[in-house]
Amino acid sequence: MLVRDVMTVNVIAIGPEMPIRDVAALMEMRRVRHFPILEDDEQGEARLVGIVSDRDLRAVDSPHPSARPDVHVSDPVRSIMVTPVATAHPDDAAEDVAAWLREYRVGALPVLDGEQLVGIVSPPDLLAALALPAAIREPSSVLEVEVGNRPGCLAALLQTLAQHGLNVSQLTTTRAEPEIGCFIVRVNTIDAPRVAGNLTREGWTVLWPEPDAAPPASPQRGPEVEEVA
Amino acid sequence: MTRPRTLLVDDPVLERSPFGSSHPFRAERGALTRALLEACGALHQDEVADVERLDERLLGAVHEQAYLEALIRAGRGERVDDARTFGLGTSDCPVVPGMHRVAMRAADATVSAAELVASGAAQRAVHLTGGLHHAHRARASGFCLVNDLALAIEHLTRRRGLRVAYVDVDVHHGDGVQGIFWERADVLTVSVHQSGRTLFPGTGAEDEIGAGAGRGFAVNLPLAPFIDDAGYLAAFDALVPTALSAFGPDVIVLQAGADAHWRDPLAQLSLSGDGLDAVYGRVIDLAERCCEGRMVVTGGGGYDAWRSVPRAWARLWARLAERELPDELPETWRRAWGERLGVSLPTRLREGTLPDLDARATERAASHALAVAKRVAARLTPLWRRED
């Protein structure tokens, strides 16, 4: 998944000369937490020169220990903007950007295609995208199966499910060890214990759900033993 | 004191499963329960109502025409190229000759039950082989072909002008009914179920609340596996009564699936027979409080078919019709139906064995469920108060 698929494209940028109090008012009105700051270069092309966050704005004229005594709300935002700016490219992997946000300890990355600002990417964008593999696409049951970490093992599981006439609408991995991986598979049946039972009898290790008992000798006669009162 | 007028809608066709006798959906559960009630003297001939044919136009209001055509053609043995896009010909909903007719009959029966209540002929009407809540507008799913519940609700709302609260205590999320009334403010859908993270169909998360005019009128209470009676009832009490009294229904439609029982082989909740009975009792009490007891009740899931289900549904009928059932179940019933089904039927109404619960798992499930119930109530209460 790429940054271009998850980023917010309607990005609001400001100029470096805007007074801090106006920036704060605009941020409140637009309900965002970051403004990239653009300034024209000698050729008249807009260039990213800084970024300001709601947190930077709040420190101004506050008793906060990091507040600078020489900066006031009437000053231009240039005096507090963070520069240089950590950025992402539209073709960066979304998973990488999630790691960078933690590494740089920032709340958003402007996305630059060459010198042009094309978007901004922040945790909500990434969370929505990274949660997608868990989205329910069709009525289905979940199976959790151990699969060997060797060529053909996962293919064999999928082949087995296909032979049982089941459609796989979701496949995610939860645990990857050198020898064994653990896969969550969503299949289009309400009767997951029966599938788990069939897989178990074919030699698979099924972690969820608990497999059904051995198949009844006659479909008409399920194993029914009444408890003693 | 006179008993409320409670009727059972039944028909010999309803003993047949649309998918034949080797399929896990056992339609005989209704007949088995009826036979048990008759053997106990808790159901009389004059309490059984016939099935009326439903208006075909009602079908078109709930299901897409293309799906209905595919269903009928498949049931007639004609070739349907895109059957799978309609959920037909799958392992849950295999194509079986005549299946459409059985499914339509079940739909007729639930609509008949709804009309008995709407017309005042009964205060409560029951159809035990109904409750096919997974059928979507254009898709068969989870053993369900025609959404009898949605048809009944459509009849009650559009034909009879009633506000309907739908309460679904089947262990699976009531996805079909929720989806069909997703944007409707005159139908409140409430589903209490094992979470979609661990169980079919996967939906029913707490943030599914309806959309458009129906925003706030879909209520979901997903539960973690292994929740027990006390945990379930505490979470139910923290959400469902508030929702129903805020909504103010004219009638409650209850899908009384019995698969939240600990013995159910398709799911992992840990309710006892007494627990299920208490859940049904809660809904009946709410109907008493909100809408003069008017209820349309169907069965639903329940795959411990010969042991837990007839006992649960017999107790449900006993509550609805205000009858007493003996704890020792009639030998005549056990013998006749045991032979017919080739199984050993229970000797007592109350179960002798209780689930062997892992205290830590049930406690965690209970604590989580209560938190979810409170969150949903807090989020939706402002939406229910909306006056328009």
Side-chain angles (χ1 to χ4, degrees), chain A residues 221, chain B residues 32 333-345:
Chain A
R221 286 146 208 261
Chain B
L32 177 66
W333 171 76
R334 292 193 65 232
R335 198 169 326 112
W337 279 82
E339 251 167 55
R340 179 167 161 187
L341 297 167
V343 297
S344 161
L345 291 171

Side-chain angles (χ1 to χ4, degrees), chain A residues 27-190:
Chain A
M27 194 172 277
E28 186 61 31
M29 197 175 79
R30 306 308 292 261
R31 304 184 69 88
V32 294
R33 303 176 99 154
H34 298 86
F35 285 139
I37 298 170
L38 298 179
E39 186 174 29
D40 287 353
D41 63 9
E42 290 101 41
Q43 281 78 44
E45 303 279 340
R47 293 276 182 256
L48 180 71
V49 294
I51 188 166
V52 65
S53 72
D54 57 342
R55 189 172 160 181
D56 302 330
L57 294 170
R58 274 200 303 271
V60 177
D61 282 339
S62 82
H64 196 271
S66 72
R68 285 160 46 192
D70 57 319
V71 177
H72 303 289
V73 291
S74 54
D75 292 335
V77 69
R78 183 193 296 282
S79 55
I80 58 162
M81 73 185 185
V82 173
T83 186
V85 190
T87 63
H89 186 275
D91 287 331
D92 283 326
E95 294 83 352
D96 291 343
V97 172
W100 300 341
L101 288 175
R102 286 199 305 274
E103 195 180 323
Y104 305 155
R105 302 177 68 85
V106 295
L109 294 180
V111 182
L112 289 186
D113 190 353
E115 294 295 324
Q116 203 193 344
L117 179 70
V118 294
I120 190 163
V121 60
S122 62
D125 303 325
L126 291 167
L127 285 171
L130 298 177
L132 198 63
I136 305 301
R137 295 166 57 201
E138 68 171 9
S140 51
S141 290
V142 69
L143 295 169
E144 197 170 355
V145 188
E146 281 190 359
V147 178
N149 188 22
R150 295 184 305 282
C153 287
L154 180 59
L157 173 65
L158 298 178
Q159 187 61 39
T160 304
L161 293 171
Q163 280 160 1
H164 288 290
L166 296 168
N167 182 51
V168 173
S169 59
Q170 192 192 96
L171 181 66
T172 45
T173 178
T174 53
R175 181 162 60 90
E177 287 165 19
E179 293 301 318
I180 211 98
C182 183
F183 282 86
I184 304 241
V185 190
R186 291 204 74 105
V187 290
N188 64 332
T189 177
I190 191 173

